[in-house]
């Protein structure tokens, strides 16, 4: 989600084109780590539990963490920890934009800092 919002911010500021954003977001998907994979990696869930959550997501419009808590697979504290790990997703967008030569890492860093200031966001 952050990548899409921040990507549109870059687009609206004229730092990248619509085509570059679409390409970078698509490219980013190939390096995106899923919430369930992180939950398995952290030892909080089994692959079968993750699959059960994915199946439930097809039926209800809820986030992975919400469903996992409802099913008793994760605690709120565990979800918050996993969410904090996912908040680095902007790094995947940065990597995609830099890998595609649409921005330099410095340009991305400057734009990210400006975005954080404009929307009163912190690194937390």
């Amino acid at each position: 989600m952050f990548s899409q919002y921040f990507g549109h911010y870059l687009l609206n500021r004229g730092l990248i084109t619509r085509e570059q954003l679409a390409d970078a977001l698509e490219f980013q998907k190939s390096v995106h780590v899923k919430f369930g994979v992180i939950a398995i990696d952290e030892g909080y869930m089994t692959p079968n539990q993750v699959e059960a959550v994915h199946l439930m997501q097809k039926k209800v419009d809820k986030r992975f963490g919400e469903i996992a808590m409802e099913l008793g697979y994760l605690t709120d504290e565990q979800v918050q920890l996993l969410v904090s790990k996912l908040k680095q997703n902007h790094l995947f967008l940065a990597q995609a934009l830099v890998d595609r030569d649409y921005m330099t890492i410095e340009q991305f860093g400057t734009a990210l800092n400006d975005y954080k200031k404009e929307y009163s966001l912190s690194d937390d």
Side-chain angles (χ1 to χ4, degrees):
M1 186 71 82
F2 176 85
S3 294
Q4 291 176 337
Y5 288 129
F6 184 63
H8 286 292
Y9 173 83
L10 296 173
L11 180 64
N12 291 335
R13 296 291 183 270
L15 299 171
I16 58 174
T17 66
R18 184 173 304 280
E19 293 77 18
Q20 289 171 330
L21 175 58
D23 180 59
L25 288 172
E26 186 62 31
F27 180 71
Q28 176 186 333
K29 289 178 187 176
S30 67
V31 294
H32 179 68
V33 179
K34 303 275 188 215
F35 196 93
V37 172
I38 295 173
I40 292 169
D41 186 58
E42 292 292 317
Y44 294 149
M45 294 178 70
T46 67
N48 288 339
Q49 290 171 330
V50 169
E51 184 59 31
V53 172
H54 286 159
L55 290 173
M56 185 65 77
Q57 280 183 303
K58 292 178 182 178
K59 298 175 185 175
V60 295
D61 185 25
K62 291 185 179 180
R63 293 178 182 216
F64 185 98
E66 291 176 271
I67 295 171
M69 285 192 310
E70 287 175 5
L71 294 174
Y73 298 148
L74 294 174
T75 66
D76 184 56
E77 183 179 317
Q78 290 169 327
V79 169
Q80 295 309 314
L81 178 69
L82 294 171
V83 166
S84 72
K85 291 183 179 284
L86 285 175
K87 289 184 178 179
Q88 297 175 11
N89 276 348
H90 65 279
L91 299 176
F92 292 113
L93 178 61
Q95 192 64 57
L97 291 167
V98 171
D99 285 353
R100 297 290 206 216
D101 292 322
Y102 298 149
M103 298 183 84
T104 67
I105 195 68
E106 292 82 11
Q107 290 170 321
F108 187 88
T110 299
L112 181 60
N113 287 333
D114 291 346
Y115 179 81
K116 287 178 181 179
K117 286 178 189 170
E118 186 171 330
Y119 292 99
S120 301
L121 302 174
S122 71
D123 288 331
D124 296 331

